[in-house]
Amino acid sequence: MTQSRKLFIKTYGCQMNVYDSERMAEALGGNGYDEVGSPEEADMILLNTCHIRERAAEKIYSELGRYKELKQAKPDLKIGVAGCVAQAEGAEIMRRQPMVDLVVGPQSYHRLPEMEARAGGREKVIDTDFPEEDKFAHLAARPKAKRGPTAFLTVQEGCDKFCAFCVVPYTRGAEVSRPVERILTEARDLVDRGVRELTLLGQNVNAYHGQGPDGRDWTLARLIRRLAEIDGLARIRFTTSHPNDMSDDLIAAHGDCDKLMPYLHLPVQSGSDRILKRMNRSHTRDSYLRLIERIRNARPDILLSGDFIVGFPEETDNDFHDTLRLIEEVGYGQAYSFKYSTRPGTPAAERAQVEEAVKDARLQELQALITRQQRAAQDAMVGREVGVLVERPGRMPGQVTGKSDHLHAVHMTADLNPGALVRVRIESSGTNSLAGVLV
Ligand code: SAH
Ligand code: SF4
Ligand code: F3S
């Protein structure tokens, strides 16, 4: 019998890290660990980290600093660093924070139980390999606990695109797709345990090309259509997509697959061809706009979301205005925007940098525009009838809250359990959510 111990995991970064944290918790379950909600009660602390921007990476060191007293009070406490900072900085983490016992990269999680058993005291353990084997195949099967109504499922990982600003191809490695059968097994298991909505994850999820049961490579569209046959699974989403991999069959699926939700995150990063070229994005402003038009022809009410970087090296006022004009032309329902952050080892780090004050001003202007569009898209839902998947009780007594097909948060007064899928008429639009009544 393994003794029972307590594990605290803190997750940073993208949804893939959220998924990975779940899988790591399960893997460590085999070593006798149960998850807890605070570092104070833990026998092991694991930080699952993000390296995408400088601030994200630096946060890890300040977080580790806060654990110093805990470690002094409880010398057996094990501290581990996983994820993309672990991959990028490796042994350097232990040099900067000697109390770290274990460093594990995102492709080595299946070795975590064995690493955990060895780590502690004087023993430091580090693994940042990119092994050949499929890490997911080696992870313990998910325990049969009941799940909430929504779940992430990683279908593809890594990236071969090498955008000039981005660390992901270095931290996550080359693009790899999981075989169809494995994904179906995991999806069915999740649905059996209460999941009604799956979000398929990949750094370039629409480049998915996993081996199908027929021995051939399947596209993401084909995988989605197969998943849609699972009884009890009501909704499918996927993220994040690259404009160059938005194939005809995937666009068609948005038009005719009922379970595929009318929401698409399709980052463009910039509206200036000059900057797109320097970013190594391999699409143009025009090719992106034409793509959006085809997607909207297939699914007119689709809500688009995007990512934008302001202050990329050599970005001029003109380039920035091209980005604003592109945003106006597309009309996003939602968008994320970031100041360019210099990442060591990426090509753009060597180029002429834009002043911080200029980046700040551009970010503010861009975000003001996005906020207006977001609000307009949300307000346009008032009076419409939408599908809502109930996720949890609301803040007010008698209220429940969930997400609409278009991924808006919706509150309503109703006696419903999480997992209920209902039709709701939207009556009002607030700062970040809609309110409605059951139809
Ligand atoms: N694979 C996805 C997302 C990658 S990271 C994609 O290709 O779209 C998520 C977002 O972070 C990116 O879309 C980009 O907008 C932003 N990002 C990546 N590197 C960055 C950097 N060095 N500085 C600022 N933002 C960055
Ligand atoms: Fe990074 Fe570009 Fe790959 Fe996205 S497509 S993960 S932004 S390199
Ligand atoms: Fe961050 Fe790694 Fe995701 S760098 S955004 S956690 S892939």
Side-chain angles (χ1 to χ4, degrees):
M1 257 308 269
T2 37
Q3 76 194 103
S4 158
R5 293 178 290 180
K6 296 190 170 100
L7 170 69
F8 174 70
I9 302 192
K10 188 157 180 176
T11 306
Y12 300 82
C14 61
Q15 289 119 323
M16 198 160 283
N17 266 10
V18 175
Y19 175 82
D20 284 345
S21 288
E22 284 175 13
R23 304 301 308 257
M24 286 194 283
E26 288 162 10
L28 287 172
N31 288 21
Y33 281 101
D34 291 312
E35 241 185 302
V36 291
S38 80
E40 286 75 21
E41 31 175 343
D43 301 296
M44 177 170 182
I45 296 174
L46 190 60
L47 299 183
N48 195 9
T49 63
C50 174
H51 201 245
I52 201 81
R53 283 166 290 274
E54 189 178 357
R55 190 121 53 95
E58 280 306 314
K59 240 194 265 175
I60 302 312
Y61 290 101
S62 57
E63 184 69 18
L64 285 170
R66 290 170 45 190
Y67 299 150
K68 212 166 254 167
E69 278 172 29
L70 291 179
K71 184 93 171 184
Q72 270 157 8
K74 194 196 276 183
D76 287 345
L77 173 67
K78 294 183 187 183
I79 298 185
V81 178
C84 292
V85 177
Q87 189 62 44
E89 301 189 0
E92 174 65 20
I93 297 172
M94 284 164 173
R95 272 193 293 275
R96 277 182 71 176
Q97 280 293 359
M99 65 178 177
V100 171
D101 302 289
L102 176 159
V103 171
V104 59
Q107 304 308 339
S108 309
Y109 294 153
H110 49 299
R111 297 177 179 162
L112 190 55
E114 175 268 326
M115 292 174 70
E116 185 279 328
R118 272 195 293 138
R122 293 243 181 95
E123 192 65 35
K124 306 280 182 193
V125 184
I126 172 161
D127 190 338
T128 52
D129 286 351
F130 287 105
E132 283 292 307
E133 70 262 30
D134 174 8
K135 67 173 173 184
F136 299 107
H138 291 257
L139 287 173
R142 286 166 173 264
K144 300 291 171 196
K146 196 153 163 45
R147 297 275 315 229
T150 65
F152 294 134
L153 205 178
T154 295
V155 302
Q156 180 271 353
E157 202 174 352
C159 181
D160 298 334
K161 298 254 188 314
F162 291 93
C163 299
F165 49 80
C166 184
V167 293
V168 171
Y170 311 97
T171 62
R172 292 274 169 170
E175 214 173 284
V176 181
S177 294
R178 297 177 68 195
V180 172
E181 286 290 7
R182 292 242 178 83
I183 295 166
L184 289 175
T185 305
E186 198 171 319
R188 284 192 205 102
D189 177 58
L190 287 167
V191 171
D192 285 347
R193 288 156 50 205
V195 170
R196 307 216 60 198
E197 172 181 306
L198 278 179
T199 301
L200 310 180
L201 299 181
Q203 263 92 21
N204 271 299
V205 71
N206 55 346
Y208 176 84
H209 56 96
Q211 196 186 48
D214 54 2
R216 296 181 180 216
D217 278 2
W218 281 29
T219 61
L220 183 67
R222 196 159 174 205
L223 175 69
I224 288 170
R225 289 182 196 281
R226 185 69 195 75
L227 285 166
E229 289 169 16
I230 298 177
D231 282 336
L233 180 62
R235 290 169 150 190
I236 301 170
R237 304 180 189 276
F238 60 89
T239 196
T240 297
S241 299
H242 191 286
N244 283 9
D245 296 307
M246 207 61 215
S247 59
D248 290 342
D249 65 342
L250 190 55
I251 295 174
H254 270 292
D256 60 30
C257 180
D258 291 343
K259 292 187 182 179
L260 184 58
M261 290 295 103
Y263 183 97
L264 179 65
H265 185 61
L266 195 61
V268 62
Q269 314 295 355
S270 166
S272 154
D273 279 340
R274 209 178 69 88
I275 294 299
L276 286 172
K277 195 154 185 204
R278 283 169 168 69
M279 285 178 164
N280 192 31
R281 284 292 290 183
S282 65
H283 57 76
T284 62
R285 170 197 182 88
D286 190 52
S287 68
Y288 180 80
L289 288 172
R290 276 183 286 129
L291 175 60
I292 299 286
E293 197 179 302
R294 282 164 55 219
I295 296 165
R296 281 191 166 140
N297 281 340
R299 181 75 202 228
D301 74 334
I302 200 161
L303 210 121
L304 292 164
S305 139
D307 289 347
F308 296 91
I309 295 179
V310 300
F312 185 78
E314 296 167 36
E315 185 187 69
T316 62
D317 279 339
N318 272 341
D319 294 319
F320 175 63
H321 283 114
D322 284 346
T323 302
L324 294 180
R325 280 198 298 114
L326 176 123
I327 294 171
E328 275 160 7
E329 206 163 319
V330 172
Y332 288 92
Q334 159 95 46
Y336 305 89
S337 47
F338 313 98
K339 282 193 286 180
Y340 169 73
S341 169
T342 313
R343 306 312 291 128
T346 59
E350 313 295 325
R351 302 184 196 152
Q353 304 291 314
V354 172
E355 260 177 76
E356 204 57 28
V358 174
K359 289 189 203 173
D360 281 328
R362 287 180 188 166
L363 186 67
Q364 229 178 28
E365 194 174 348
L366 190 148
Q367 285 186 338
L369 172 59
I370 291 292
T371 306
R372 281 200 302 277
Q373 291 196 341
Q374 226 161 279
R375 190 60 205 254
Q378 199 186 286
D379 291 350
M381 293 291 164
V382 175
R384 281 179 61 175
E385 198 185 300
V386 298
V388 174
L389 177 63
V390 175
E391 290 184 8
R392 62 182 74 85
R395 232 178 282 153
M396 308 290 190
Q399 248 192 7
V400 292
T401 167
K403 293 276 166 55
S404 75
D405 297 342
H406 292 90
L407 213 53
H408 287 124
V410 179
H411 308 290
M412 67 199 116
T413 304
D415 185 17
L416 294 167
N417 290 322
L421 195 61
V422 290
R423 302 291 300 170
V424 174
R425 196 172 51 253
I426 301 302
E427 298 202 311
S428 66
S429 168
T431 319
N432 288 310
S433 61
L434 297 165
V437 291
L438 276 183
V439 179

